[in-house]
Amino acid sequence: MEYIADLILIAVGAAIITNFVLIYFVGICPFIGVSRRVDMAFGMGCAVTFVISIAALLSWAFTYFILREGAPLTTAIVGHPVDLTILSYIVYIFVIASSVQLVEMYVRKFFPTLYKSFGVYLPLITTNCAILFACLKIMANVIDPKEAWGLDKALVLAVFGGVGFTLAIVIMAGIREELDQCDVPAPLRGAGITLVVAGILAMAFLGFAGVDANLAKMVHAKEKPTPAKTQPADVPSFTERPPANDTSDTHPRDESFGGSGKQLVRTVRPADPVLAESPQ
Amino acid sequence: MASDGPTPLERFLSGILPENPIYRQLLGMCPTLAVTNGMREAATMAGAVMFVLFCANVITSLIRSLLKPHLRILIFTLTIATFVTIADRFLAAFLPDMSKRLGPYIPLIIVNCVIICRCEVCASKQGVVTAGADAIGQSLGFALGLASIATVREVLGSGTWFGLPLLPEAFWPRWGIMLLPPGAFLTLGLLLGVANKIASTFAAKPAAKAAAE
């Protein structure tokens, strides 16, 4: 039961709470470029999800069996544990380029009209930051001895990261279809107003921060399952000033990018003032 | 093919403002939004991109006669991946806290559209000197864009600039939203509008002069 809950936490974290596009800023180029119409946006989202799953599968396999310290295949070949993680970026790029090539061949064979409508955007998925970002996140979690993710968690993260990307891009496409009727000032037309709207969307998605921390507490509480209702101490106080800047160098993003969705969320924990993200 | 295309000086100058990668070409948005919550992070990212872009451009220009059309994007990306690995390990060794702060955005330089675009447009077609000048010009433009956004976000968000306190807390309350993702999007969107306005004004002046004659 806890296993399923862990997977659900990773899924919801990747798709909504720490949405790849709106919180981690990956995949912005197609987000701005392909979000003019809902059907194109949905097609792009599905393609990216497809590629991200294949790329995550292959890169997990490479990292787990070959690249990490003490990996089974390299230990068997060389005789003692070696750490090949220095090659990980090059391997991942190979993997992503091949996945895109595979998907391109598959789509051209079985969905020729879709392939024609994609045009040049399908090969451009190779340079989509979201795919490399998912691979890097999986690598960080596979290498970390405390987490040591298996294929299940890696695939869940990848697929639901793609789902979150699709969600964000389709929402943006819906909004932009409406924006076409509006009188946007000339300097802001196109990318400018898209980014401003994305900022408001990001504000909305920030409202989910803290959801998975509370869910995790509820699921993993062995003694007394505390209800998910917020207690008075948890309610953020909007009138409270953020703590004064001190000179220590810790930054909220110092929390490693591993962990099941606790990164940015940790800094906007309900017990802290809402504005606690300022460098402390 | 004799000396075709822009000269090194033209490449250098056009990369800074006229063909600015962030404001005119709209490339490399991912690191622009992610690392601009402080000037120090922005400066580190700009330095890393300058190193990678320069080396990748030079190497691509040296091997440009060997590139096959189908595989060239893959070759560019592999070259870039090598130099990004070098930059990443260098930062992890000599600036470890900055490396932790920048997190996965240093490896994401590999798929930064600015570098791939410069390799494709300039380095694969012109000589080493031109490619090098183009790399330096474009990375200066990129640094300029990063610095503009980072200044706005850091001054409004934490009242500092490069870590030096600038606005006392009593004088101007902190806009915490500027340090969070929404602030990044809003700042970039509005500054993009400003840049478009400036560009269109500069383009309108000679057109108005020509129309007046």
Side-chain angles (χ1 to χ4, degrees), chain A residues 22 24-26 28 86 89 93 97 127 129 133 136 187-188 191 195 198-199 203 241 245 249 251 253 257 277-279, chain B residues 26 29-30 33-34 74 85 88-89 97 101 104-105 107-108 110-111 116 158 173 179-182 185 189 192-193 196:
Chain A
L22 296 172
Y24 281 130
F25 311 110
V26 286
I28 298 284
I86 194 84
Y89 302 155
I93 282 299
T127 59
C129 306
F133 180 78
L136 291 173
L188 279 176
L195 286 164
M203 263 195 264
R241 292 272 176 193
N245 293 327
D249 257 3
H251 186 274
R253 235 190 273 269
F257 267 78
E277 255 255 302
S278 57
Chain B
L26 298 178
M29 307 251 111
C30 304
L33 294 163
L74 183 63
T85 311
D88 181 46
R89 292 297 94 204
D97 53 336
R101 257 184 255 186
Y105 294 105
L108 282 179
I110 302 175
V111 287
I116 298 182
S158 37
L179 300 171
L180 295 173
F185 283 111
L192 196 56
N196 282 342

Side-chain angles (χ1 to χ4, degrees), chain A residues 21-29 31-32 86-87 89-90 93-94 96-97 126-130 132-133 136 186-189 191-200 202-204 206 241-245 249-251 253-255 257 264 267-268 274-275 277-279, chain B residues 26-31 33-35 37 40-41 73-74 77-78 81-82 84-85 88-89 97 100-105 107-113 116 153 157-160 169 173-177 179-186 188-190 192-194 196-197 200:
Chain A
V21 181
L22 296 172
I23 305 286
Y24 281 130
F25 311 110
V26 286
I28 298 284
C29 296
F31 182 66
I32 298 181
I86 194 84
L87 296 176
Y89 302 155
I90 300 180
I93 282 299
F94 254 126
I96 293 172
T126 317
T127 59
N128 190 333
C129 306
L132 185 59
F133 180 78
L136 291 173
L188 279 176
R189 278 192 204 137
I193 197 70
T194 310
L195 286 164
V196 171
V197 170
I200 302 176
M203 263 195 264
L206 265 188
R241 292 272 176 193
N245 293 327
D249 257 3
T250 54
H251 186 274
R253 235 190 273 269
D254 270 359
E255 315 286 325
F257 267 78
L264 213 71
T267 64
V268 285
V274 171
L275 303 177
E277 255 255 302
S278 57
Chain B
L26 298 178
L27 301 173
M29 307 251 111
C30 304
L33 294 163
V35 308
N37 51 1
R40 281 185 292 187
E41 288 92 346
I73 302 276
L74 183 63
T77 330
L78 286 176
T82 318
V84 167
T85 311
D88 181 46
R89 292 297 94 204
D97 53 336
K100 255 203 298 257
R101 257 184 255 186
L102 292 176
Y105 294 105
L108 282 179
I109 298 178
I110 302 175
V111 287
N112 190 333
C113 303
I116 298 182
R153 285 182 73 191
S158 37
T160 61
E169 173 113 28
R174 305 276 176 262
W175 291 10
I177 195 86
L179 300 171
L180 295 173
F185 283 111
L186 288 169
L188 180 58
L190 294 174
L192 196 56
V194 168
N196 282 342
K197 183 74 184 149
S200 63

Side-chain angles (χ1 to χ4, degrees), chain A residues 1-273:
Chain A
M1 195 52 220
E2 264 200 33
Y3 172 73
I4 305 274
D6 266 341
L7 287 184
I8 293 182
L9 279 176
I10 296 179
V12 171
I16 299 181
I17 300 173
T18 48
N19 185 293
F20 275 17
V21 181
L22 296 172
I23 305 286
Y24 281 130
F25 311 110
V26 286
I28 298 284
C29 296
F31 182 66
I32 298 181
V34 188
S35 58
R36 301 213 78 125
R37 288 185 5 239
V38 177
D39 47 0
M40 265 192 78
F42 186 70
M44 173 56 107
C46 289
V48 167
T49 310
F50 199 16
V51 177
I52 230 183
S53 332
I54 301 180
L57 171 71
L58 291 173
S59 64
W60 178 88
F62 270 103
T63 314
Y64 191 83
F65 290 114
I66 300 181
L67 289 176
R68 69 183 169 131
E69 184 145 21
L73 272 178
T74 36
T75 316
I77 296 178
V78 176
H80 58 88
V82 281
D83 182 7
L84 289 178
T85 49
I86 194 84
L87 296 176
S88 37
Y89 302 155
I90 300 180
V91 168
Y92 292 161
I93 282 299
F94 254 126
V95 161
I96 293 172
S98 333
S99 320
V100 171
Q101 197 69 19
L102 267 172
V103 171
E104 205 180 337
M105 294 192 313
Y106 178 76
V107 169
R108 181 157 44 169
K109 180 106 203 283
F110 292 109
F111 304 101
T113 41
L114 187 68
Y115 179 75
K116 253 200 280 282
S117 73
F118 265 128
V120 73
Y121 285 114
L122 200 46
L124 275 185
I125 296 183
T126 317
T127 59
N128 190 333
C129 306
I131 308 178
L132 185 59
F133 180 78
C135 293
L136 291 173
K137 242 188 169 201
I138 293 171
M139 170 180 94
N141 281 314
V142 169
I143 291 181
D144 181 9
K146 282 190 307 230
E147 304 261 357
W149 275 12
L151 185 60
D152 46 2
K153 291 188 180 171
L155 271 184
V156 163
L157 177 83
V159 168
F160 281 91
V163 166
F165 175 82
T166 312
L167 192 68
I169 204 176
V170 167
I171 294 178
M172 179 56 81
I175 296 179
R176 278 186 90 171
E177 281 186 356
E178 298 285 326
L179 269 184
D180 279 343
Q181 326 290 337
C182 298
D183 184 18
V184 179
L188 279 176
R189 278 192 204 137
I193 197 70
T194 310
L195 286 164
V196 171
V197 170
I200 302 176
L201 266 183
M203 263 195 264
F205 270 74
L206 265 188
F208 290 109
V211 167
D212 65 342
N214 275 337
L215 276 179
K217 246 192 303 193
M218 192 175 76
V219 163
H220 292 295
K222 294 279 190 329
E223 23 332 344
K224 267 186 312 196
T226 52
K229 275 200 324 258
T230 56
Q231 293 132 24
D234 283 343
V235 173
S237 156
F238 289 98
T239 55
E240 204 173 322
R241 292 272 176 193
N245 293 327
D246 64 51
T247 50
S248 82
D249 257 3
T250 54
H251 186 274
R253 235 190 273 269
D254 270 359
E255 315 286 325
S256 72
F257 267 78
S260 45
K262 290 200 283 282
Q263 308 84 354
L264 213 71
V265 165
R266 184 169 291 196
T267 64
V268 285
R269 248 184 331 218
D272 293 339

Side-chain angles (χ1 to χ4, degrees), chain B residues 112-197:
Chain B
N112 190 333
C113 303
V114 178
I115 309 185
I116 298 182
C117 185
R118 295 333 291 171
C119 282
E120 164 80 8
V121 165
C122 174
S124 60
K125 302 192 167 76
Q126 297 191 267
V128 180
V129 179
T130 320
D134 178 68
I136 300 186
Q138 288 282 328
S139 33
L140 280 181
F142 188 71
L144 202 67
L146 282 187
S148 54
I149 303 172
T151 305
V152 170
R153 285 182 73 191
E154 190 179 0
V155 168
L156 289 178
S158 37
T160 61
W161 196 72
F162 259 114
L164 308 166
L166 212 62
L167 292 176
E169 173 113 28
F171 175 68
W172 183 272
R174 305 276 176 262
W175 291 10
I177 195 86
M178 277 296 160
L179 300 171
L180 295 173
F185 283 111
L186 288 169
T187 313
L188 180 58
L190 294 174
L191 282 181
L192 196 56
V194 168
N196 282 342
K197 183 74 184 149

